[in-house]
Amino acid sequence: MELTTIWFLLVAVLFTGYFILEGFDFGVGMLLPVLGRDDRQRRVLINTIGPVWDGNEVWLITAGGAMFAAFPEWYATLFSGFYLPLLLILLALIVRGVAFEYRHKRPEASWKRRWDTAIFVGSLVPAILWGVAFANILRGVPLSADHEYVGGLVDLLNPYALLGGVTTAALFLTHGAVFIALKTTGEIRERAGALAVKLGVGTAVVAVAFLAWTLTIRASAAAVVLAVGAALALVAGLAAARVRREGWAFTGTAVAIALAVATLFAALFPNVLPSTLDAAGTLTASNASSTPYTLKIMTWVAVVFTPIVLAYQGWTYWVFRRRIGVQNIPQH
């Protein structure tokens, strides 16, 4: 297997890990005003992701770094053409991070309410825009023969991309609801489990529609198999949520997200950013990659450090594996 193919797969794996882990973070943030009926309940919801949300974002940083080093042409064209949506994602992530840290600094209800709104918005915006961005990556964008983006913002807001945004937001909402049911006790657990099933029905419809549309744009045998697997995993997860098997439900939604992302990358390969204007402008894993020597060095670095990072993050989740409830939150 060529190094360009290996690094394409590694970038796919990194984004898959990011969407699985940060997906439930976004879901919890979006559900904060829905499931948090008072301050103690909202603190429970925030504490379910408090120890891990910043570590989950490392997957995005690593994915961006890997793209920059392994496929600099892809990185440059993508970040220049998608400048505004990616900037909005970055700003939303910053606002959300600040909100987590500042929410508890003052006791006034109005102060906490403003930061709760920031957490909601900072979760909703990336949840939608990531779907818009990846849908456009697969569909293709206007690129010149020199691989320069020559479109505008309106080109990125096409119906397929907007459906992609709705799909990722819905998937993350369902994933987040299942995660809350998995990590909490009492009333919050009951309401989160019931909400996950209700959300899941609409999510399944939207996700199937998006994946079916995807396969009409670009398809391969692997993409078809992965898309079917994603749909089945989501249905299995919802069935588990219905009978309150939260661990299996979370596994189902996580696998559904993983296979959905894998579907997009499988349908995309060997391209990394197709051109809708001229085939000569299409970026592929070959013409967008770094030199073989650079890829070889990166591969050895990844072999050494990836297991260390995975072990550390796995240990973090193990330490904070227990459920929490309002009984764990002191009253002020």
Side-chain angles (χ1 to χ4, degrees):
M1 184 181 294
E2 296 181 356
L3 287 177
T4 53
T5 303
I6 291 174
W7 276 97
F8 179 87
L9 292 174
L10 286 175
V11 169
V13 167
L14 289 169
F15 273 111
T16 299
Y18 172 69
F19 287 132
I20 292 173
L21 299 176
E22 191 78 330
F24 67 72
D25 286 350
F26 291 148
V28 172
M30 288 186 287
L31 291 172
L32 188 63
V34 178
L35 294 176
R37 293 180 174 175
D38 56 39
D39 183 60
R40 292 180 75 194
Q41 290 188 357
R42 287 189 286 272
R43 288 166 65 193
V44 168
L45 296 177
I46 293 172
N47 285 351
T48 61
I49 60 175
V52 298
W53 69 267
D54 47 357
N56 293 342
E57 290 187 351
V58 171
W59 286 77
L60 174 61
I61 297 170
T62 308
M67 185 186 293
F68 171 77
F71 302 102
E73 192 79 26
W74 184 15
Y75 179 93
T77 303
L78 183 66
F79 277 73
S80 60
F82 291 43
Y83 179 81
L84 183 56
L86 293 178
L87 177 63
L88 291 175
I89 289 173
L90 178 61
L91 291 175
L93 293 177
I94 292 172
V95 168
R96 189 179 67 128
V98 171
F100 284 138
E101 299 297 331
Y102 274 74
R103 183 187 187 277
H104 67 282
K105 297 296 185 182
R106 289 169 57 177
E108 295 90 346
S110 58
W111 171 269
K112 294 181 178 180
R113 189 163 50 249
R114 283 194 292 268
W115 289 118
D116 289 342
T117 301
I119 292 172
F120 171 77
V121 174
S123 301
L124 176 64
V125 170
I128 294 174
L129 291 183
W130 277 124
V132 172
F134 270 83
N136 276 298
I137 290 173
L138 184 131
R139 175 181 175 270
V141 293
L143 298 179
S144 68
D146 296 326
H147 310 307
E148 296 290 337
Y149 182 75
V150 293
L153 179 61
V154 175
D155 295 291
L156 301 179
L157 301 178
N158 55 81
Y160 172 70
L162 294 176
L163 179 60
V166 173
T167 301
T168 50
L171 279 171
F172 295 161
L173 271 171
T174 304
H175 194 41
V178 170
F179 178 78
I180 292 170
L182 175 66
K183 289 289 293 179
T184 59
T185 61
E187 179 190 353
I188 298 177
R189 177 188 178 188
E190 298 292 335
R191 288 192 286 114
L195 182 60
V197 175
K198 294 177 182 178
L199 288 172
V201 175
T203 298
V205 173
V206 172
V208 168
F210 176 70
L211 290 175
W213 195 345
T214 297
L215 296 177
T216 65
I217 297 174
R218 303 185 195 282
S220 64
V224 173
V225 171
L226 290 168
V228 172
L232 293 177
L234 181 58
V235 171
L238 296 178
R242 188 177 182 84
V243 295
R244 294 187 57 183
R245 298 294 298 273
E246 290 97 349
W248 285 111
F250 182 77
T251 301
T253 55
V255 171
I257 291 173
L259 294 180
V261 177
T263 299
L264 298 182
F265 277 95
L268 182 63
F269 188 78
N271 299 325
V272 294
L273 191 60
S275 172
T276 57
L277 297 180
D278 185 356
T282 294
L283 286 169
T284 67
S286 297
N287 66 19
S289 68
S290 295
T291 64
Y293 183 69
T294 300
L295 295 177
K296 184 180 294 185
I297 294 176
M298 289 175 57
T299 302
W300 282 111
V301 171
V303 167
V304 173
F305 287 101
T306 300
I308 298 174
V309 174
L310 292 176
Y312 175 76
Q313 189 159 31
W315 175 79
T316 302
Y317 275 91
W318 175 256
V319 170
F320 296 101
R321 67 189 181 278
R322 298 192 183 279
R323 295 177 183 268
I324 61 173
V326 291
Q327 71 276 6
N328 303 113
I329 305 297
Q331 292 184 348
H332 291 305

